[in-house]
């Protein structure tokens, strides 16, 4: 089944403890992206990647890191999480970044930082 | 600045028709997307418009007017399972998506 797989689905952590949210897609998509979604706000892009070894900042990159060493994986790293990073996170992928193929989203990761 | 506006919430009756409007202002334009998102779940792709006009896909249709910076999503023969948030997103000249906050659609029997 073609899908984007995110793990974990739920995570509660403490301030300052490094964490990684994994994202993997099995559709051979070139483009991958991370978003956060907060109540009353639209999806906000954190980082995106047009291809392997190519990553760029989105609208809200502060406090996050990413890597794209293989086409299928695009992990999101929070080196020192803070409570303002409590949010619902989505990974998405697309055949290309040009939009006409649509984006496939992962199931989401609900992160709580205390 | 870049901005997407859509109503926060709408209510409609099962079996009826509802139109969800979206206006956008982005730096350049490479298409307009609609996504459906049930509470706590991932957004799922509904439609993509890059040319003016109406595109019909079963019970759902999407319309675009580039000169007016305006789109709407039309849902016919509403079913209870259509209760969800509907997200409008415009793709700018850098192929980045600018998202609206979403319209929560409540369907009543």
């Amino acid at each position: 089944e073609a899908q984007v797989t995110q793990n974990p689905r739920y995570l509660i952590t403490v301030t300052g403890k490094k964490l990684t949210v994994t994202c993997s897609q099995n559709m051979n998509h070139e483009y991958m992206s991370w978003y956060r979604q907060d109540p009353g706000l639209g999806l906000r892009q954190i980082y995106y990647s047009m291809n392997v070894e190519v990553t760029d900042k989105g609208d809200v990159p502060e406090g996050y890191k990413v890597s794209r060493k293989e086409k299928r994986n695009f992990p999101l790293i929070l080196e020192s999480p803070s409570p303002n990073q409590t949010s619902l996170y989505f990974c998405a992928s697309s055949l290309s970044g040009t939009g006409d193929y649509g984006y496939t989203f992962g199931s989401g990761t609900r992160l709580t930082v205390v | 600045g870049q901005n997407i506006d859509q109503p926060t919430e709408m209510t409609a009756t099962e079996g009826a028709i509802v139109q969800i409007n979206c206006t956008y202002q982005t730096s350049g334009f490479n298409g307009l997307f609609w996504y459906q998102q049930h509470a706590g779940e991932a957004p799922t792709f509904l439609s993509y418009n890059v040319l003016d006009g109406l595109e019909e896909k079963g019970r759902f249709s999407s319309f675009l007017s580039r000169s007016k910076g305006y789109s709407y999503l039309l849902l016919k023969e509403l079913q209870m399972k259509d209760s969800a948030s509907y997200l409008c997103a415009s793709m700018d000249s850098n192929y980045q998506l600018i998202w609206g906050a979403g319209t929560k659609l409540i369907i009543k029997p």
Side-chain angles (χ1 to χ4, degrees):
Chain A
E1 180 189 352
Q3 60 185 358
V4 177
T5 303
Q6 276 181 245
N7 280 297
R9 286 293 307 273
Y10 301 92
L11 179 60
I12 301 175
T13 190
V14 296
T15 299
K17 185 176 181 181
K18 181 179 178 180
L19 66 92
T20 299
V21 183
T22 64
C23 174
S24 181
Q25 51 91 4
N26 62 0
M27 297 168 281
N28 201 37
H29 282 176
E30 301 281 340
Y31 181 91
M32 297 186 75
S33 179
W34 275 104
Y35 291 92
R36 63 177 288 174
Q37 187 175 39
D38 301 290
L41 300 177
L43 287 162
R44 292 182 293 168
Q45 191 175 54
I46 302 170
Y47 270 94
Y48 65 97
S49 170
M50 299 293 286
N51 211 329
V52 176
E53 300 292 2
V54 179
T55 62
D56 280 294
K57 295 178 181 179
D59 298 318
V60 289
E62 294 78 21
Y64 304 94
K65 285 175 58 177
V66 292
S67 67
R68 187 93 182 272
K69 296 177 182 174
E70 311 162 277
K71 186 183 263 192
R72 64 182 294 126
N73 295 323
F74 191 45
L76 179 69
I77 302 157
L78 284 73
E79 293 271 4
S80 183
S82 62
N84 65 13
Q85 292 178 299
T86 292
S87 187
L88 178 59
Y89 290 86
F90 287 104
C91 179
S93 74
S94 179
L95 188 60
S96 74
T98 57
D100 37 346
Y101 299 101
Y103 288 61
T104 302
F105 283 81
S107 299
T109 296
R110 188 167 291 281
L111 173 66
T112 302
V113 183
V114 299
Chain B
Q2 307 201 99
N3 193 50
I4 306 287
D5 283 318
Q6 53 181 128
T8 303
E9 187 173 296
M10 299 181 70
T11 302
T13 304
E14 190 177 15
I17 300 173
V18 71
Q19 177 175 312
I20 303 174
N21 296 325
C22 170
T23 58
Y24 63 89
Q25 284 180 300
T26 50
S27 303
F29 180 75
N30 278 300
L32 194 290
F33 290 81
W34 285 96
Y35 279 79
Q36 180 190 60
Q37 186 179 26
H38 286 97
E41 297 184 9
T44 54
F45 173 76
L46 290 177
S47 68
Y48 170 69
N49 294 66
V50 67
L51 299 176
D52 288 350
L54 184 70
E55 294 217 1
E56 299 185 68
K57 201 183 285 187
R59 293 189 299 115
F60 292 10
S61 302
S62 56
F63 172 83
L64 176 67
S65 169
R66 288 174 296 171
S67 62
K68 295 181 180 178
Y70 167 70
S71 173
Y72 68 72
L73 181 69
L74 190 71
L75 292 75
K76 302 176 186 175
E77 302 169 15
L78 285 170
Q79 302 174 9
M80 296 303 292
K81 67 178 182 179
D82 297 330
S83 293
S85 287
Y86 291 85
L87 313 181
C88 173
S90 175
M91 182 165 274
D92 69 12
S93 56
N94 294 319
Y95 297 101
Q96 297 309 303
L97 284 175
I98 311 301
W99 294 84
T103 298
K104 183 178 181 180
L105 178 62
I106 300 167
I107 310 295
K108 295 186 174 179

